[in-house]
Amino acid sequence: MNVTHRKSRRGRILVATALGTTLLGVGAVATAMAGETSPASRAPAAPASPKSATTAAEPTGGLIVGYKSKAQEARSAKAVRKDIGAKAAQTGEKLSYERRLGNGAALVSLGGVRPAKDVTKLMDRFRADPDVAYAVPDRQVPTPALESPRDPGRSSEPSGDTDRFSEQWNLFEPTGGMNVPDAWRTSTGQGVTVAVLDTGITKHSDLAVNTVDGYDFLADTFQAKDGDGRDSDPSDPGDATKPGECGGQGSRSSWHGTHVAGIVAAADDGKGIVGVAPGAKAQPVRVLGRCATPDSDIIDAITWASGGTVADVPDNPTPARVINMSLGQEGVCTPPMQLAVDQAVQRGTTVVVAAGNRGNLPEPQDAGNFDYASCDNVITVAATDREGNRAEYSNFGNAVDISAPGGELLTSKNPKNGILSTVNSGEDGPASESFEFEEGTSQAAPQIAGLAALMIAANPALTPAQVESAIKENARPLPGTCEGGCGAGLADAAKTVASVSKGAAPPAAGSPSSPPSDSSSASPSSPPSSPSPSVGTGQAADGKDLSACLKNTCEVEVTSGDTIRLDGTAGVDEFTVVSVADNTLTFTASSGNGAQQSSGSQTSPGRSTINDLVVDLISVNGDRAIIRLS
């Protein structure tokens, strides 16, 4: 049984159940060709969207072409090359087959950038073929497309050993914050990987322990700016441009991916900042470089990050349960974009997308007019300011699902009203690690991606549809105003995580992870210290009584011989770890008089039930494991 969700015109979830087949329609695009075998798990492709018929042509060097499943081109690499060759002869253009994308579409090279009128003719030629489901331009996504159109100027600050948590108003302030610290009492995101599709990442002490291997998907060496094309190194060499490059006056490097990654998963190490999900792992997937990036690279990155197969790229050893995409441009969600998203969701990956930053232009923009933000099966995120209003730059509309803090720098004339996160001090190439306040829906989206990680760690069985539904159902009304539509409201992390965590009690007021009650939206009068996101009383030790497990969900690190004493309300008084090895936890559960009730083992990640006690094995690292009892 497959469950998918799609966004209606009102931005609501529609849940559909497929019985023995998909609900993706007829005339589907095949996902593999002979000689280019696709895994059996790869989902059938989506049909051409009605929007695709009106996809505007633009100067481009490539087309993305999807063949219907009945066509020979869908089963044979030789056939697709023959078809492209025939169309080249018919049009007089230098067309060639470049590669098969991870979503099953064919990338057709036009032999160089062609003017829009020629692209239109070529698309019409392919679309007239009854074996072709769609043909769209391989559009170039500008690297700064989702950034605020205003440049507040560089305000980076040295890293040092200072605890900056008190400046992260977006996490805890009662007016405009997301109520994140209380959520940490239940979950910190342990065991969940969040792929950050962005500019890559730079070295930063706040990110080092919470980063897993990623990939660089930039195929063009000029755009990649690192001397080569695709490779296993997602390091960000900088995306600065010189005057005249990309038709602009030149720009500094943004370190955008590093900033986004910090918002998701910066470590709680007593210095610097803390990510929304400090127990999760950020996976840098480089798709943005100098000037722009073709859709074909982003489509392959979505496929790879979610555990799909991309030709000539090693499979992802740690597939992401969440993807963050703080990128996009004006346009529609094309069939190949939608297909990549649908396949990722079918693999169990939640896809979070920024709504875009064109809300304050003379003609304010609806998020439905931006490509990835308008796709079905994604969580589209608008941005709010410190007072809980829609940030003036944020896109809005029916395509928006939820809002999160994005900050407001210039209007408030206070740089600390932005979102603080990790960056690099280099103007061009990397220099030293630092921090910077920034604003944008690019900053709002990773807070929702981090919230999704908290939820999945608390309940690994959640589907992407359930993640989206819970976030929306537990949002609170915007404290301020929003013209045009800001989705279900402002996300509430604690309420949302509690709603999906079996047996989790609401966080108690005044807990160690809560900010002072007199915190205001202007500035905390008594800045909180950095919280410990650990749940319970700390690390389990042999025979240690973790009394926090008596009333609330208890999340702890354990090793062989550790015993956790409970109050017996779940039918268990003592939970003892027999061994932790080979990614497996072996345990016994006993009643108060010492009589053994049961024993068992669980492989990570997974869940076991003893009487009414739920045991979630979140992760194993050598002889130690993270478990949650509820």
Side-chain angles (χ1 to χ4, degrees), residues 32-36 67 70-87 97 100 106 126 129 131-132:
M33 299 187 296
E36 298 178 42
Y67 290 94
K70 65 180 181 62
Q72 288 186 347
E73 291 85 352
R75 301 183 298 275
S76 167
K78 181 178 179 180
V80 75
R81 288 188 174 92
K82 181 179 179 181
D83 178 62
I84 293 172
K87 289 178 172 59
Y97 171 65
R100 187 69 167 178
F126 276 98
D129 186 336
D131 288 335
V132 171

Side-chain angles (χ1 to χ4, degrees), residues 154-160 164 202-207 255 258-259 262 272-273 420-426 431-438:
R154 177 73 77 184
S155 59
S156 61
E157 304 171 27
S159 180
R164 307 290 297 272
T202 57
K203 292 182 179 179
H204 202 292
S205 58
D206 263 12
L207 296 173
W255 314 116
T258 302
H259 201 266
I273 66 163
L420 181 65
S421 189
T422 47
V423 290
N424 193 277
S425 64
S432 59
E433 65 177 54
S434 58
F435 296 93
E436 191 166 306
F437 288 94
E438 296 184 4

Side-chain angles (χ1 to χ4, degrees), residues 472-525:
K472 294 163 76 170
E473 289 174 0
N474 291 283
R476 59 191 176 97
L478 254 62
T481 62
C482 174
E483 295 182 3
C486 288
L490 184 61
D492 187 314
K495 185 178 177 183
T496 303
V497 171
S499 75
V500 300
S501 303
K502 184 180 183 300
S511 66
S513 59
S514 300
S517 59
D518 61 352
S519 293
S520 68
S521 60
S523 176
S525 58

